């Protein structure tokens, strides 16, 4: 990765190199996306391609619902390969491995549930029910693509030939931990739980009082799949985070599961409100931590932004580089020992990270990384439109 120094010359040079790297990344994405689109039948093309400004571009899910686009189930082997090639282009190698591990868990989850779930389709837990959608034309300077299915939702926005948006970025895992033949369990997201637990264990009593805001964790990420976050947004109930209203019996099943999980972890309405979203971050500021603790915060954030390709991750890491980290706050809810239902949040000026592992005996993880100002490249797009409108007026 590019290392920025205090020298303005080196910083400028590093910035130019980083910009060039992101543009090369955007070009690779466009090449693969165009190749995939070129293999599609008319019906597949209609499912895959959307207008860039369509509201669907900012619609997203992480439940086993229809994510929109062209599914792996509808593709040929060649199209499978191209979809995975695009996915691997957008993600780091570790991110791509993790995404595949999450998809593989669908088979295991089907076994755990007795091969019985349907969710109104032939197979509820299906590693082929992951969808890709392309918004706009990859041959244009501005376009976007999305990949998602159960426990994965990835969004990449390209403006003026530059990768300007990589969030929302959701990874989940169910089960979070599974046995392997050997001493080490299979934990695709275990590292970002263990490091956060090490951080909370490192806190003094005074620091912990500022950090642990609730004895009970939420049973889902607080931000859910909202497109826009507003002051006071609280955890949504399980049946809401789907595309459309569920069939009545499934709706009741999910509502009962929601009530059951709340009861198991002891979650009250007061706890839900204590953990509600606010623009002013809750928890302890990194400025109130010592140097080793701050480095743990930085390392934890690196694991989230490190999901995407290095060229894109560098720009995100710069947002909490150096003293910028001091404004990031760390919040914890629930128990602090392995196996305890738990939740944590990292929030800065525009950064939001959530990790929840509270249901199914604390063996079902949801995690998300968001940019509160620039999800789907919103900030950059707004600036782009304003500049182009100004240029148009000037030209006339």
């Amino acid at each position: 990765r590019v290392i920025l120094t205090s020298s303005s010359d080196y910083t400028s040079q590093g910035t130019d190199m980083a910009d060039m790297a992101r543009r090369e990344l955007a070009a690779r994405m466009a090449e693969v996306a165009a190749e995939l689109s070129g293999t599609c039948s008319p019906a597949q093309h209609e499912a895959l391609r959307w207008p860039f400004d369509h509201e669907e571009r900012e619609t997203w899910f992480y439940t086993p619902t229809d994510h929109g686009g062209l599914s792996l189930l509808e593709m040929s082997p060649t199209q499978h390969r191209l979809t995975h090639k695009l996915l691997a282009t957008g993600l780091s190698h570790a991110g791509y491995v993790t995404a595949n591990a999450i998809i593989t868990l669908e088979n295991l989850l089907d076994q755990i549930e007795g091969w019985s779930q349907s969710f109104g389709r032939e197979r509820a837990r299906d590693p082929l029910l992951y969808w890709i959608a392309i918004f706009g034309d990859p041959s244009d300077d501005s376009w976007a693509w999305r990949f998602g299915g159960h426990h994965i939702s990835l969004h990449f926005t390209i403006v003026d030939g530059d990768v300007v948006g990589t969030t929302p970025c959701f990874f989940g895992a169910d089960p979070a931990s599974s046995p392997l033949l050997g001493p080490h369990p299979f934990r695709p997201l275990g590292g970002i739980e263990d490091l956060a637990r090490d951080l909370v264990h490192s806190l003094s009593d005074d620091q912990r009082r500022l950090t642990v805001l609730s004895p009970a964790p939420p049973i889902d990420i607080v931000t859910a799949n909202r497109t826009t976050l507003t002051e006071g947004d609280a955890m949504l109930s399980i049946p809401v985070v789907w595309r459309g209203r569920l069939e009545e019996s499934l709706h009741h099943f999910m509502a009962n599961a929601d009530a059951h999980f709340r009861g198991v972890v002891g979650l009250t309405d007061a706890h839900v409100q204590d953990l509600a979203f606010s623009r002013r971050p809750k928890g302890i500021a990194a400025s109130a931590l010592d140097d080793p603790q701050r480095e743990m915060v930085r390392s934890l954030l690196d694991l989230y932004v490190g999901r995407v390709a290095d060229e894109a991750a560098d720009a995100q890491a710069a947002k909490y580089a150096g003293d910028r980290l001091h404004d990031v706050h760390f919040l914890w809810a629930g128990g602090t020992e392995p196996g305890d239902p738990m939740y944590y949040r990292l929030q800065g000026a525009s950064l939001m990270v959530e990790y929840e592992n509270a249901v199914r005996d604390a063996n079902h993880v949801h995690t998300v990384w968001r940019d509160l100002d620039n999800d789907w490249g919103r900030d950059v797009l707004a600036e782009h439109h304003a500049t182009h409108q100004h240029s148009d007026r000037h030209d006339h």
Side-chain angles (χ1 to χ4, degrees), residues 21-43:
R22 286 197 314 276
R23 290 183 179 279
E24 291 173 353
L25 174 64
R28 293 197 299 274
M29 289 180 178
E31 181 181 358
V32 181
E35 189 176 0
L36 172 62
S37 184
T39 67
C40 289
S41 68

Side-chain angles (χ1 to χ4, degrees), residues 9-172:
D9 290 340
Y10 282 115
T11 299
S12 176
Q13 182 181 12
T15 301
D16 290 344
M17 292 173 60
D19 289 348
M20 184 181 301
R22 286 197 314 276
R23 290 183 179 279
E24 291 173 353
L25 174 64
R28 293 197 299 274
M29 289 180 178
E31 181 181 358
V32 181
E35 189 176 0
L36 172 62
S37 184
T39 67
C40 289
S41 68
Q44 288 177 319
H45 193 273
E46 184 176 359
L48 174 68
R49 299 291 294 272
W50 299 73
F52 181 72
D53 59 356
H54 198 286
E55 64 180 8
E56 177 69 18
R57 188 169 67 86
E58 295 189 7
T59 300
W60 69 291
F61 304 93
Y62 47 85
T63 49
T65 190
D66 179 2
H67 283 234
L70 181 65
S71 72
L72 295 174
L73 189 63
E74 304 167 280
M75 293 184 188
S76 69
T78 295
Q79 291 169 328
H80 277 192
R81 171 175 281 178
L82 288 171
T83 298
H84 274 273
K85 185 177 180 180
L86 181 57
L87 187 59
T89 302
L91 298 176
S92 64
H93 180 64
Y96 179 65
V97 171
T98 302
N100 278 281
I102 292 166
I103 293 171
T104 298
L105 286 174
E106 291 298 283
N107 287 322
L108 179 55
L109 186 55
D110 206 5
Q111 181 204 31
I112 290 171
E113 294 176 335
W115 318 99
S116 61
Q117 288 282 17
S118 69
F119 298 150
R121 57 200 194 197
E122 187 171 354
R123 186 184 182 193
R125 311 301 189 180
D126 192 336
L128 294 180
L129 285 179
Y130 287 81
W131 288 261
I132 188 163
I134 296 173
F135 300 90
D137 190 334
S139 66
D140 292 339
D141 283 344
S142 298
W143 62 287
W145 63 278
R146 176 185 72 196
F147 179 87
H150 187 211
H151 282 161
I152 297 180
S153 191
L154 303 169
H155 306 258
F156 294 88
T157 306
I158 295 88
V159 176
D160 287 338
D162 188 2
V163 180
V164 300
T166 52
T167 58
C169 182
F170 182 100
F171 276 173

Side-chain angles (χ1 to χ4, degrees), residues 1 45 70 99 105 111 117 173 212 228 231 237 244 248 277 362:
R1 293 186 178 181
H45 193 273
L70 181 65
L105 286 174
Q111 181 204 31
Q117 288 282 17
V212 182
T228 302
E231 195 74 15
S237 62
E248 202 62 29
F277 170 77

Side-chain angles (χ1 to χ4, degrees), residues 114-335:
W115 318 99
S116 61
Q117 288 282 17
S118 69
F119 298 150
R121 57 200 194 197
E122 187 171 354
R123 186 184 182 193
R125 311 301 189 180
D126 192 336
L128 294 180
L129 285 179
Y130 287 81
W131 288 261
I132 188 163
I134 296 173
F135 300 90
D137 190 334
S139 66
D140 292 339
D141 283 344
S142 298
W143 62 287
W145 63 278
R146 176 185 72 196
F147 179 87
H150 187 211
H151 282 161
I152 297 180
S153 191
L154 303 169
H155 306 258
F156 294 88
T157 306
I158 295 88
V159 176
D160 287 338
D162 188 2
V163 180
V164 300
T166 52
T167 58
C169 182
F170 182 100
F171 276 173
D174 184 12
S177 179
S178 309
L180 292 172
L181 295 174
H184 303 294
F186 180 52
R187 301 175 65 212
L189 299 172
I192 53 177
E193 179 173 317
D194 294 346
L195 182 54
R197 184 177 291 107
D198 289 344
L199 174 57
V200 80
H201 281 166
S202 77
L203 300 176
S204 67
D205 290 343
D206 288 342
Q207 289 175 323
R208 186 175 288 221
R209 278 190 286 271
L210 295 172
T211 304
V212 182
L213 296 194
S214 170
I219 59 169
D220 196 359
I221 55 173
V222 172
T223 55
N225 66 326
R226 293 179 172 94
T227 299
T228 302
L229 299 176
T230 58
E231 195 74 15
D233 280 342
M235 184 193 73
L236 297 175
S237 62
I238 293 174
V240 175
V241 194
W242 297 68
R243 187 184 289 272
R245 181 174 171 85
L246 298 171
E247 183 272 327
E248 202 62 29
S249 63
L250 182 56
H251 179 89
H252 286 304
F253 174 80
M254 291 295 178
N256 289 336
D258 184 277
H260 169 74
F261 292 140
R262 288 176 188 240
V264 168
V265 302
L267 185 68
T268 67
D269 290 343
H271 297 143
V272 171
Q273 290 306 311
D274 287 342
L275 298 170
F277 170 77
S278 63
R279 264 291 181 172
R280 183 176 182 179
K282 299 177 179 179
I284 190 170
S287 59
L289 302 175
D290 61 29
D291 287 342
Q293 290 169 331
R294 274 193 292 272
E295 284 310 306
M296 293 171 77
V297 172
R298 193 186 307 278
S299 296
L300 191 54
L301 289 172
D302 285 346
L303 293 179
Y304 282 88
V305 303
R307 296 173 177 185
V308 300
D310 286 352
E311 298 91 329
D314 285 332
Q316 298 301 322
K319 295 179 180 179
Y320 55 85
D323 290 346
R324 294 186 184 95
L325 185 71
H326 291 184
D327 295 329
V328 174
H329 285 60
F330 176 54
L331 174 160
W332 187 279

